[in-house]
């Protein structure tokens, strides 16, 4: 039996159930498809390819060592699979399930129709603790826990040679007419195991304390997100190895760091399950009662200033410029960027989400859209979190190392003025070579006024719309998406009906 194994966002050979099952039955044709239409989508950028390309080369080396190289083909998946199935007398196709954007979902439907036409079974295996056609969330925690603790798929040790392959990745590389500039990525696509080992052995000791500090997070965060997003590391394997390391450790700080990391791995699947259950949240408010809240007030000038790091608020601008330069940002800064855009600038979350998706090397749709909506306050079941960019700056980057690294125009400004440079007297602006509105932008909105206006707008919206159908929608969101260990009938919605803010 010849089996085609379709690699998508699972670029590894360890704990790879489709590859293992295919190899048990006979010859395997491992295939990766570069789909030109995918690379034209509005949430995609060539930064992602910048990471994927060396990962594919590494995967090819691993498969070649097993006996059968990776075949990389460029074209629509349906056309490529039709041709390969006929050329190599394929008896079945194996792959992992994918919870991607709407485009990949529709592509998978087209592939399913094709393989049905060809009378070729398509066997898809679970890659995360994400369950298709899940009726409700009441038993999700137990299902996830059981799957994450289940046995790993054995690593294939040999593959029968099926065919020689030749490809030039530079010639096959996708292209885009309009794209972000490539970045000097902070992460080596071929260093997944090394990055995990260094985190487990030493870097995790500061994970809990430094995860929200922009300078220290660079080394203390796990930095594993792109390897998980593109499947170079198995999430199940990560969780089991992290748990074993936690049990073996005798050092308190290491235990605390590993425990915090272990719990966040579970949150990964919790958020992807949201998009799996309701693909529409890629485009529409999770609570449809928020439709129209911000869409008609979108200000392109404010959006442009935000996406280029020119808002006049140092920590916001440093975070964005860091992201534009490296493709990575720690979680607190990601949340702060979305909240600032949503509340202070009153921008609809959808354009914000697309820009950030293109920026993040580790873009994972299933995490991205639910998190964006949570930070934008459109879920209906989470508190509104409005980060104060000055307070955050003073608390998280008190000595200004992160700000000065990414905002060279502020490098001479002393700490006492660094977080609010627009308040400097004119003489000091001249002395420190930072004239506001010339060397560095003036704030594009007044902080206090923007905060008050955001609260007033939300309060007015809730007063006008908080009717029985609003509460029914809120309950429906809770039942479908809320995290819980008990049945929804035994729980109350955690978020109060009235407007509530978590000020940070």
């Amino acid at each position: 039996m010849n089996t085609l194994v379709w690699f998508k966002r699972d670029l590894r050979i360890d704990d790879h159930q489709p590859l293992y099952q295919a190899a048990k039955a006979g010859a395997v044709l491992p295939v990766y498809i570069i789909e030109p239409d995918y690379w034209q989508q509005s949430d995609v950028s060539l930064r992602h390819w910048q990471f994927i390309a060396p990962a594919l080369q590494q995967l090819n080396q691993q498969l070649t060592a097993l006996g059968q190289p990776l075949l990389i083909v460029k074209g629509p998946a349906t056309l490529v699979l039709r041709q390969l199935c006929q050329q190599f007398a394929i008896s079945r196709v194996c792959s992992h399930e994918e919870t991607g954007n709407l485009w990949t979902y529709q592509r998978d439907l087209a592939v399913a129709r094709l393989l049905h036409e060809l009378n070729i079974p398509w066997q898809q295996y679970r890659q995360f603790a994400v369950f298709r056609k899940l009726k409700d969330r009441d038993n999700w925690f137990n299902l996830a826990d059981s799957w994450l603790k289940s046995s790993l798929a054995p690593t294939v040790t040999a593959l029968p040679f099926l065919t020689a392959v030749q490809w030039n990745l530079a010639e096959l590389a996708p292209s885009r007419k309009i794209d972000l500039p490539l970045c000097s990525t902070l992460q080596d696509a071929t260093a997944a195991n090394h990055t995990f080992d260094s985190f487990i052995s030493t870097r995790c000791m500061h994970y809990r304390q430094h995860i929200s500090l922009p300078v220290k997070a660079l080394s203390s965060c796990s930095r594993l997100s792109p390897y998980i997003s593109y499947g170079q590391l198995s999430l199940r394997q990560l969780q089991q190895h992290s748990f074993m390391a936690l049990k073996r450790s005798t050092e308190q700080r290491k235990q605390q760091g590993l425990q915090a990391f272990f719990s966040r791995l579970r949150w990964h699947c919790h958020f992807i399950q949201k998009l799996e259950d309701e693909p529409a949240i890629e485009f529409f408010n999770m609570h449809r009662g928020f439709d129209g809240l911000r869409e008609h007030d979108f200000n392109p000038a404010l959006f442009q200033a935000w996406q280029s790091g020119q808002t006049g608020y140092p920590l916001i601008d440093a975070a964005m410029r860091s992201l534009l330069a490296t493709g990575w940002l720690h979680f607190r800064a990601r949340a702060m960027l979305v909240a600032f855009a949503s509340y202070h600038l009153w921008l609809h979350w959808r354009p914000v989400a697309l820009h950030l998706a293109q920026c993040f090397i580790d873009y994972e749709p299933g995490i991205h859209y639910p998190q964006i909506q949570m930070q934008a306050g459109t879920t209906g079941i989470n508190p509104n979190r409005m980060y104060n960019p000055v307070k955050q700056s003073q608390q998280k980057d008190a000595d200004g190392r992160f700000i000065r690294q990414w905002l060279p125009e502020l490098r001479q400004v002393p700490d006492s003025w660094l977080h609010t440079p627009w308040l400097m007297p004119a003489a000091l602006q001249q002395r420190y070579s930072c004239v506001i509105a010339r060397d560095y932008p003036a704030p594009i909105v007044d902080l206090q006024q923007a905060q008050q206006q955001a609260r007033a707008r939300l309060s007015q919206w809730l007063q006008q719309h908080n009717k029985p159908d609003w509460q029914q929608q809120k309950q429906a969101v809770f039942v479908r998406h809320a995290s819980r260990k008990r049945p929804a009938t035994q729980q109350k919605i955690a978020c109060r009906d009235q407007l509530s803010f978590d000020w940070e």
Side-chain angles (χ1 to χ4, degrees), residues 67-86:
Q68 174 55 54
L70 176 68
L71 178 60
I72 301 180
V73 186
K74 188 174 184 179
T78 51
L79 296 181
V80 170
L81 291 173
R82 179 185 290 274
Q83 177 184 355
L84 293 178
C85 286
Q86 294 172 347

Side-chain angles (χ1 to χ4, degrees), residues 152-390:
L152 305 179
T155 301
V156 173
T157 57
L159 292 174
F161 178 78
L162 181 62
T163 183
V165 299
Q166 285 187 333
W167 42 260
N168 184 319
L169 213 50
E171 295 177 355
L172 293 172
S175 61
R176 289 173 62 88
K177 292 181 180 178
I178 302 176
D179 197 35
L180 291 173
L182 296 181
C183 58
S184 54
T185 177
L186 293 170
Q187 280 164 286
D188 179 356
T190 64
N193 290 326
H194 171 76
T195 305
F196 177 65
D197 290 343
S198 72
F199 177 72
I200 289 295
S201 60
T202 57
R203 293 189 295 111
C204 66
M205 294 178 63
H206 305 290
Y207 179 78
R208 189 175 179 184
Q209 294 80 10
H210 296 168
I211 192 171
S212 297
L213 304 179
V215 172
K216 295 181 178 180
L218 188 64
S219 59
S220 298
C221 283
S222 75
R223 305 299 305 284
L224 297 172
S225 53
Y227 307 120
I228 300 173
S229 293
Y230 298 110
Q232 293 172 277
L233 292 175
S234 155
L235 187 83
R236 180 167 56 178
Q237 192 173 33
L238 283 180
Q239 187 147 49
Q240 293 182 15
H241 286 187
S242 300
F243 181 77
M244 293 303 298
L246 172 63
K247 292 302 180 184
R248 289 194 300 265
S249 177
T250 58
E251 192 168 354
Q252 185 178 9
R253 280 196 307 171
K254 191 171 183 179
Q255 289 176 338
Q256 291 174 345
L258 287 172
Q259 181 61 55
F261 174 69
F262 181 79
S263 66
R264 279 174 171 80
L265 286 177
R266 181 70 57 87
W267 283 107
H268 168 280
C269 297
H270 162 70
F271 278 98
I272 294 180
Q273 185 70 56
K274 292 174 185 278
L275 188 63
E276 176 66 33
D277 290 344
E278 190 175 5
I281 62 177
E282 179 185 347
F283 300 95
F284 303 107
N285 294 319
M286 191 176 290
H287 189 306
R288 298 306 298 270
F290 288 105
D291 289 359
L293 176 66
R294 297 186 179 98
E295 292 90 322
H296 306 302
D297 297 315
F298 191 84
N299 187 317
L302 295 181
F303 178 68
Q304 196 281 328
W306 172 83
Q307 70 176 166
S308 59
Q310 298 288 339
T311 68
Y313 289 97
L315 189 61
I316 297 291
D317 293 340
M320 182 61 78
R321 295 192 204 178
S322 169
L323 175 60
L324 290 170
T326 68
W328 182 84
L329 203 59
H330 66 292
F331 176 77
R332 173 58 65 87
R334 298 184 189 211
M336 182 183 64
L337 284 179
V338 177
F340 183 80
S342 300
Y343 295 111
H344 296 88
L345 306 185
W346 207 246
L347 299 172
H348 182 45
W349 60 264
R350 173 70 180 164
V352 168
L354 294 178
H355 173 71
L356 293 177
Q358 291 186 15
C359 288
F360 293 147
I361 294 294
D362 58 10
Y363 168 55
E364 173 65 68
I367 295 176
H368 188 72
Y369 294 105
Q371 273 288 346
I372 291 283
Q373 292 218 40
M374 194 169 80
Q375 303 302 333
T378 54
T379 69
I381 61 172
N382 299 104
N384 300 86
R385 179 160 292 181
M386 187 185 298
Y387 294 92
N388 183 319
V390 174

Side-chain angles (χ1 to χ4, degrees), residues 392-449:
Q392 288 290 307
S393 181
Q394 293 167 337
Q395 289 181 344
K396 307 302 182 186
D397 192 34
D399 60 3
R401 287 174 57 195
F402 183 72
I403 291 172
R404 290 188 176 94
Q405 178 182 0
W406 296 107
L407 305 182
E409 58 268 50
L410 298 182
R411 283 178 183 166
Q412 297 184 47
V413 177
D415 292 351
S416 55
W417 297 105
L418 185 65
H419 307 289
T420 54
W422 62 89
L423 297 180
M424 274 194 303
L428 292 183
Q429 293 183 31
Q430 292 286 350
R431 178 189 300 179
Y432 299 125
S433 302
C434 183
V435 176
I436 299 302
R438 186 194 71 183
D439 302 309
Y440 183 67
I444 57 175
V445 293
D446 177 86
L447 184 61
Q448 185 148 4
Q449 182 181 358

